[in-house]
Amino acid sequence: MSGVLKTLSMEDLEGQQGQGDSMVSGRSLGNGQHSRPQSPLKFFSQAKKTINDIFKEILEYINESRTFLAEHKDGSEEKKHVEEFQGMVRGIIEVLARDHMKCCFFGRTSNGKSSVINAMLRKKILPSGIGHTTNCFLQVEGCDGMEGCLYTEESDEPKSVNSVKQLASALSTAKLKENSLIRILWPKEKCRLLKEDVVFLDSPGIDVTPDLDDWIDKFCLDADVFVLVANSESTLMRTEKNFFHKVSDRLSKPNIFILQNRWDVSVLEEDTDIESVKEQHYQRNVEFLCDELKVANTQEAKNRIYFVSAKEALISRLHEDNQTPTPTGSLQRDFTDRLFEFANFERMFEVCISKSAVKTKFEQHAKKGKTVNSNLREVMEKTYTDSLHQMEESIRVRQETADELDYLEKQLTLLTGDIKDKIRFMVDDVERKVSTALSEEIRRLSSIVDEFERPFHPDQVLLNAYKKELHSHVEGGLGRNLQQRCSYVLQHPVEETQKEMTERIAVLLPEETKQQLYSLVPRRDFEIAYRLDCRNLCADFQEDIQFRFSVGLTALMQRFLGKRGTHSVLTGHSNTIPRPMSEGGPQTPIGEFYRPLAPEQNNQVLISMITTFASITSRTTMGAIIVGGLIAKAAGWKVIVVTSGLYGLLYMYERLTWTNKAKERAFKRQYVDYASSKLKLIVDLTSANCSHQVQQELSSTFARLCNQVDLSKNKLQGEIGDLDKSLAHLKEISAKAKLLRNKSDWLDKQLNGFIEEFLVKPDA
C-alpha cells in the first residue's frame, strides 16, 4: 500500500479480512452516508443479542434446577452450587447488558484526537482546536433519549453537553483533573456508531503526564481498539511508542490503528516528494506494529495505517448533514481522496472493533457459560443417575416386600388350616375324655355322697338345708375329681398346642416382633370349668324316709309287683287278666299249642288273682274268718303262732332300728339314684361345654397371634404403599432431571453454535 492513496473496494477488504461486510461500494464521498446496508457493527449487536438470549436461557435453566433441587434435594450440596451459579449468571447478564465496543484514542497533544472523534460522530461535541485543548478523559456513549447530557465522577446529576468545554478544556479555569472521566451521553439516533453500542474514549495528550500506567489500568483494560492519532508533520515519537509498549504489556495483542492526521498539509509542500514521505511513515509505522509491539504481521499492519484529515472530514460531514455547500477555502486540493481514506478507516475500524469486541467481551463469558452449563449438567446427570439407582433399589425392595407379604399370606393360610384341624381334633378328644371321666364319676357318686358328713334330721326345714349342702358337696366333689382326672390330660395338650402355634407363627415374623408375640400367649395355666350345677339339677328331688316294714304286704307286693303293680292292686284298677281279643276272628284252641307268658303278663295274672282274693276277703268278715280258718287248718295253730311271733319280732326289730342314721342312709341312697339319673342327662352337655372352652382358649390364642401377623401384613402393605409413592416420586425426579439434562445439552449446542459463528468463523 505504498505510492497510491488507499481507496479500497469491498472485494479488497473481503480478501484481507475473510468476510465481505466492511467496505464501500464504488467511490463515495467518504462521508459514511452511502455505506452498505449491513454494517460490520451489526456483528457485535447480533453476537450480544445471541449471547444475552443464551444466558437468559441458562438463568432460566438454573432457576428450574434450583426449584427442582429445592423440592427434591433440599439442603444438598448440589443446591448450594446451583445457587452460586445463579448469582454468577445474573452477574454475567448484568455485565452483558452493559457491554459495548470501546475505542480509545491516544496521541500527543494537538494531534487531533478530539477532531477524529467529532468527525466519526458527525458532530462537534468534544472541544478541539489549536494547542492543548483536552485536559481529562471524555467518554462518549449512546443514550435512548433525544437530548444529550454528561456526568462527572464527582456528581450523579446530569449536566448539559455544552458544559463539556468548561469541564474538559485545558484552557478553562473549571477544568477537571487529568485522570478524571466525563461521561457524555449522546442520542443514538444522531449517530450510527453509537446506535451500535460503540463507545469512544478521548484522552489528554500522553506527553503531558507521567501517570500512563494509571491511565492504562483505569481506562484501557476493557478497550477493544486503540487508535493512535499521529501528526503527519512528524514521525512517531518515543512518548507515543512507550505508551503503547505499556499497553501491549498489559493486553495480549491489542488492536491498534495509526491515523496519520493532518495529511491535508501535504498539498502545501510543493518542493517535497510526498510519496516518499508517505512511504517513510508506512515503513516506520509497520516496523513499530510488527517488530516492536508484535501485534500484527506486515499485511495486517499496512491495513491499520491511514493518512487522513479529521478537520476536512468533520467540515464535510457537518455541511452535508446540514445540506449546505462546503466552503471552498476550508478544504485543500484532493480532499476527496482523504475523505475516502477516512471512510476506509471507519469501515476497517468497524470490522476490527466488532470482531475484537465480540472476542474480548463474549469469549470468556461463553466459556464461563459452558463451564456453568457443564457443571449443571453433571448435577442433573448425577441426580438422574441417582434417581435411577434409587428406583432400581426401590423396585427390588418392593418386590422382596411383595414376595414376603405373599409368602406370609400363603403360610398363614396353610397354618390356619392346620391349626383348625388340630383344634377340631382336640375338641373331639376333650369331649370324649370329659364324657368318659364324668360317666365314671357318676358311677362313683355314692362314694362322694358317703363322704358328706353333716348332722341329719328328718325335720323338713333342716332337711332342706341338708339337701342344699349336699348339692354343693356333690358339685364340688365331682368338679374336683374331674379336675384331678382331666387337668393334666387336657391342659398339657392345650399348652403344647399354644406353644406350637406361637413357634410356627414366630417363624413368619421378623425378629423385632417375636418378643411381642410371646407376650401374647397367656402365662397362666388353662383350667376348665366344669359347670354341673347340682342345686338346680336335683332341685326336684323328693326323698322317702317313712318307715316301711320289709316283709309287710305292701313291701312284698312292691318287691314282686313293682311300684306300678302295687299301685294297681291297692287302687283296684286291674281285677281281670288282660288277653287279646280278636274281633270276628276265629278263637285259637287252647290245646293247639302253649306259648309261655312273658314276665309282664305273669305279673298281670298275679295282680289279678291277688286283687280278686283281696276283694273277696274285704267284703265280709265271714270271708276273712273262713280264709284264716283254712290257713290255720292247713298249717296248724302252732306254726301260725310261731310265725306270727317271729313276724312281730322282725317288725319290732326293724321299727326300733329305723333311726336317723338309717334314714340318712336311705336318703343318700335315694339321692344317689336320683342324682345319677339326672347327671347322666348332662354328660354330653358338660363334655361339650368343656370342649367349647378348649376351643375358645385355643381359638382366642390363635386369633391374638394372627392379629400380630395381620399387623406385620399391614406393615408390609404400608411399606409397599410407601415404596409405590417413592417410586412415583423417583419417576418424577428422573423425568424432570432428564429434561433438565437434555436442556443442558441443548444449551451446550447453543453455546457451541455461538462460539462457532461469532468466535471461530470470523477468524477462519
Side-chain angles (χ1 to χ4, degrees):
M1 191 179 293
S2 60
V4 294
L5 192 64
K6 228 179 7 175
T7 305
L8 299 178
S9 65
M10 182 168 58
E11 289 76 9
D12 295 328
L13 280 180
E14 286 175 351
Q16 294 168 5
Q17 297 299 324
Q19 60 181 21
D21 57 351
S22 59
M23 284 292 102
V24 295
S25 177
R27 290 181 63 85
S28 69
L29 293 178
N31 52 19
Q33 293 295 319
H34 303 285
S35 60
R36 292 183 61 201
Q38 181 66 28
S39 170
L41 299 177
K42 293 291 183 182
F43 182 72
F44 177 83
S45 300
Q46 292 173 357
K48 181 178 180 180
K49 181 180 184 304
T50 301
I51 198 169
N52 266 288
D53 292 341
I54 292 175
F55 269 93
K56 287 177 182 178
E57 292 287 345
I58 292 176
L59 181 60
E60 182 181 351
Y61 172 49
I62 292 174
N63 292 334
E64 291 179 4
S65 301
R66 182 175 179 273
T67 303
F68 168 70
L69 293 174
E71 291 176 354
H72 304 294
K73 285 191 174 184
D74 192 18
S76 63
E77 195 68 25
E78 292 87 349
K79 182 172 176 263
K80 296 179 182 178
H81 291 325
V82 172
E83 290 175 349
E84 294 175 0
F85 296 152
Q86 188 180 41
M88 185 186 304
V89 171
R90 283 177 177 172
I92 292 175
I93 291 176
E94 291 177 2
V95 172
L96 289 175
R98 298 192 303 267
D99 276 341
H100 46 252
M101 295 174 282
K102 186 175 181 180
C103 177
C104 296
F105 290 81
F106 288 94
R108 290 185 295 115
T109 302
S110 299
N111 279 6
K113 300 183 295 296
S114 300
S115 297
V116 173
I117 296 175
N118 287 334
M120 297 179 73
L121 294 175
R122 309 178 68 85
K123 187 73 174 180
K124 192 173 182 181
I125 299 175
L126 305 182
S128 61
I130 300 175
H132 180 202
T133 55
T134 303
N135 188 67
C136 63
F137 284 89
L138 301 174
Q139 180 171 299
V140 183
E141 55 188 275
C143 65
D144 295 328
M146 297 305 295
E147 296 294 333
C149 63
L150 62 84
Y151 293 89
T152 62
E153 293 178 336
E154 290 78 11
S155 175
D156 293 333
E157 295 183 3
K159 297 180 177 62
S160 173
V161 176
N162 296 327
S163 62
V164 68
K165 294 181 180 180
Q166 287 76 28
L167 298 173
S169 176
L171 303 177
S172 173
T173 57
K175 63 185 178 180
L176 299 177
K177 295 181 180 180
E178 295 174 352
N179 61 348
S180 298
L181 175 68
I182 297 177
R183 292 177 60 239
I184 301 174
L185 276 64
W186 190 249
K188 293 180 180 180
E189 296 298 328
K190 295 182 180 181
C191 180
R192 179 180 60 85
L193 297 177
L194 298 181
K195 187 184 297 184
E196 302 297 343
D197 288 334
V198 177
V199 174
F200 297 102
L201 181 69
D202 191 11
S203 63
I206 57 177
D207 54 342
V208 299
T209 179
D211 299 329
L212 298 181
D213 292 335
D214 294 339
W215 284 11
I216 295 172
D217 293 337
K218 187 174 181 180
F219 302 109
C220 303
L221 294 181
D222 61 341
D224 302 298
V225 170
F226 292 87
V227 177
L228 172 59
V229 181
N231 190 347
S232 298
E233 297 180 81
S234 64
T235 187
L236 286 178
M237 307 297 291
R238 183 172 297 277
T239 303
E240 297 167 325
K241 290 184 177 183
N242 289 338
F243 174 78
F244 279 98
H245 274 294
K246 293 178 180 293
V247 170
S248 180
D249 291 339
R250 284 172 170 77
L251 299 177
S252 176
K253 295 185 67 174
N255 295 297
I256 301 175
F257 284 84
I258 299 178
L259 290 183
Q260 294 290 343
N261 193 25
R262 297 186 178 179
W263 187 243
D264 55 324
V265 300
S266 62
V267 299
L268 302 177
E269 300 293 334
E270 297 179 356
D271 298 333
T272 305
D273 186 358
I274 300 302
E275 292 301 325
S276 298
V277 174
K278 192 173 187 179
E279 182 63 28
Q280 185 184 45
H281 282 310
Y282 266 119
Q283 189 65 32
R284 291 182 178 179
N285 290 341
V286 168
E287 289 177 357
F288 173 63
L289 294 177
C290 297
D291 300 334
E292 295 185 36
L293 296 181
K294 298 180 180 180
V295 297
N297 56 37
T298 302
Q299 185 61 38
E300 290 174 345
K302 289 182 178 180
N303 292 331
R304 300 292 179 87
I305 303 170
Y306 295 90
F307 293 82
V308 297
S309 173
K311 177 182 178 181
E312 288 180 340
L314 177 60
I315 293 173
S316 175
R317 291 180 177 184
L318 288 176
H319 286 278
E320 187 172 330
D321 288 343
N322 295 330
Q323 296 182 353
T324 58
T326 302
T328 305
S330 300
L331 303 178
Q332 299 297 329
R333 175 170 44 88
D334 298 328
F335 73 92
T336 56
D337 293 335
R338 291 186 292 276
L339 292 181
F340 276 117
E341 185 79 352
F342 196 88
N344 289 338
F345 155 70
E346 286 182 321
R347 284 299 180 184
M348 184 61 71
F349 162 80
E350 290 178 10
V351 172
C352 181
I353 195 172
S354 180
K355 289 172 53 180
S356 176
V358 168
K359 193 171 185 64
T360 57
K361 307 297 183 185
F362 303 145
E363 184 175 23
Q364 292 302 320
H365 292 327
K367 292 180 179 179
K368 195 67 176 177
K370 284 182 66 66
T371 302
V372 170
N373 186 60
S374 176
N375 291 335
L376 273 176
R377 191 191 186 285
E378 290 179 1
V379 171
M380 291 302 107
E381 181 66 29
K382 183 177 182 299
T383 303
Y384 176 68
T385 305
D386 291 345
S387 63
L388 290 181
H389 291 330
Q390 292 176 10
M391 283 176 61
E392 293 176 358
E393 181 65 18
S394 296
I395 291 173
R396 184 187 64 80
V397 173
R398 187 194 184 284
Q399 186 62 42
E400 291 179 355
T401 307
D403 293 341
E404 184 178 356
L405 178 61
D406 183 63
Y407 173 79
L408 183 61
E409 290 177 344
K410 291 180 178 178
Q411 291 299 315
L412 182 61
T413 301
L414 295 175
L415 179 60
T416 302
D418 293 343
I419 296 299
K420 285 183 177 180
D421 293 339
K422 193 172 187 64
I423 292 175
R424 190 180 304 110
F425 172 78
M426 286 195 62
V427 166
D428 295 340
D429 186 60
V430 168
E431 186 172 358
R432 183 176 63 257
K433 290 179 179 179
V434 172
S435 177
T436 302
L438 183 57
S439 297
E440 292 178 358
E441 290 300 320
I442 290 173
R443 287 193 292 271
R444 297 177 58 251
L445 184 61
S446 59
S447 62
I448 298 175
V449 175
D450 291 340
E451 293 173 358
F452 182 69
E453 297 292 339
R454 294 289 186 276
F456 181 82
H457 196 278
D459 183 71
Q460 191 61 43
V461 176
L462 298 176
L463 191 60
N464 290 336
Y466 183 87
K467 284 194 289 186
K468 290 181 180 179
E469 293 182 5
L470 182 58
H471 293 331
S472 300
H473 173 75
V474 171
E475 183 176 342
L478 284 175
R480 285 192 301 273
N481 292 342
L482 288 174
Q483 191 73 29
Q484 291 174 359
R485 294 186 60 174
C486 301
S487 176
Y488 180 78
V489 176
L490 299 181
Q491 288 178 8
H492 182 69
V494 170
E495 293 173 358
E496 288 297 321
T497 303
Q498 289 176 335
K499 183 179 180 181
E500 179 185 355
M501 288 190 297
T502 305
E503 291 176 351
R504 292 185 64 179
I505 288 182
V507 176
L508 305 178
L509 299 178
E511 290 295 332
E512 60 271 13
T513 59
K514 286 184 178 181
Q515 190 62 34
Q516 300 177 3
L517 186 69
Y518 289 113
S519 64
L520 296 176
V521 180
R523 297 180 181 179
R524 59 177 177 81
D525 292 335
F526 171 66
E527 295 182 359
I528 297 178
Y530 302 95
R531 300 180 182 88
L532 299 176
D533 198 10
C534 289
R535 178 174 299 181
N536 293 326
L537 193 64
C538 299
D540 295 335
F541 169 68
Q542 294 295 327
E543 71 283 352
D544 183 10
I545 56 175
Q546 296 296 323
F547 176 71
R548 297 285 189 273
F549 185 41
S550 60
V551 291
L553 181 61
T554 303
L556 292 174
M557 290 174 65
Q558 288 182 351
R559 186 173 298 170
F560 292 105
L561 302 178
K563 291 184 178 181
R564 292 179 61 186
T566 304
H567 180 73
S568 299
V569 171
L570 295 177
T571 56
H573 289 166
S574 177
N575 54 5
T576 59
I577 298 175
R579 57 182 178 181
M581 301 292 293
S582 57
E583 298 180 358
Q587 298 294 327
T588 303
I590 297 176
E592 182 175 346
F593 61 88
Y594 173 75
R595 177 180 297 174
L597 297 176
E600 294 79 1
Q601 292 175 338
N602 290 330
N603 287 339
Q604 292 293 334
V605 173
L606 184 58
I607 291 171
S608 178
M609 291 174 62
I610 294 174
T611 302
T612 303
F613 176 75
S615 177
I616 295 173
T617 57
S618 63
R619 290 177 182 176
T620 62
T621 304
M622 184 58 69
I625 294 173
I626 293 172
V627 172
L630 291 174
I631 294 173
K633 186 178 180 180
W637 289 102
K638 293 181 179 181
V639 175
I640 294 173
V641 171
V642 172
T643 302
S644 299
L646 292 174
Y647 188 79
L649 290 173
L650 181 60
Y651 176 81
M652 291 299 294
Y653 172 76
E654 290 186 1
R655 188 70 181 83
L656 291 175
T657 57
W658 187 249
T659 62
N660 285 342
K661 198 67 176 177
K663 293 178 182 179
E664 183 180 5
R665 287 194 297 271
F667 177 87
K668 288 183 177 181
R669 185 172 59 254
Q670 294 173 17
Y671 184 83
V672 168
D673 294 339
Y674 183 83
S676 297
S677 63
K678 290 294 185 178
L679 289 172
K680 289 178 180 179
L681 298 177
I682 64 169
V683 170
D684 293 339
L685 180 62
T686 303
S687 60
N689 181 38
C690 294
S691 64
H692 181 69
Q693 293 179 53
V694 172
Q695 182 179 13
Q696 284 293 104
E697 176 70 14
L698 294 177
S699 298
S700 60
T701 303
F702 185 65
R704 289 193 297 270
L705 297 175
C706 287
N707 287 337
Q708 197 67 27
V709 178
D710 290 337
L711 291 177
S712 297
K713 287 171 57 179
N714 294 336
K715 182 180 179 181
L716 292 175
Q717 290 172 349
E719 291 177 358
I720 291 175
D722 293 340
L723 288 170
D724 288 337
K725 293 180 181 178
S726 177
L727 278 172
H729 184 63
L730 289 172
K731 287 180 181 178
E732 181 182 353
I733 292 176
S734 62
K736 184 65 176 178
K738 186 176 181 180
L739 287 175
L740 292 173
R741 185 198 63 181
N742 293 341
K743 187 170 184 178
S744 177
D745 295 337
W746 178 79
L747 287 172
D748 193 63
K749 291 180 180 178
Q750 297 297 312
L751 288 168
N752 289 334
F754 173 82
I755 293 173
E756 179 72 17
E757 181 178 358
F758 294 100
L759 298 177
V760 176
K761 285 184 178 180
D763 294 334

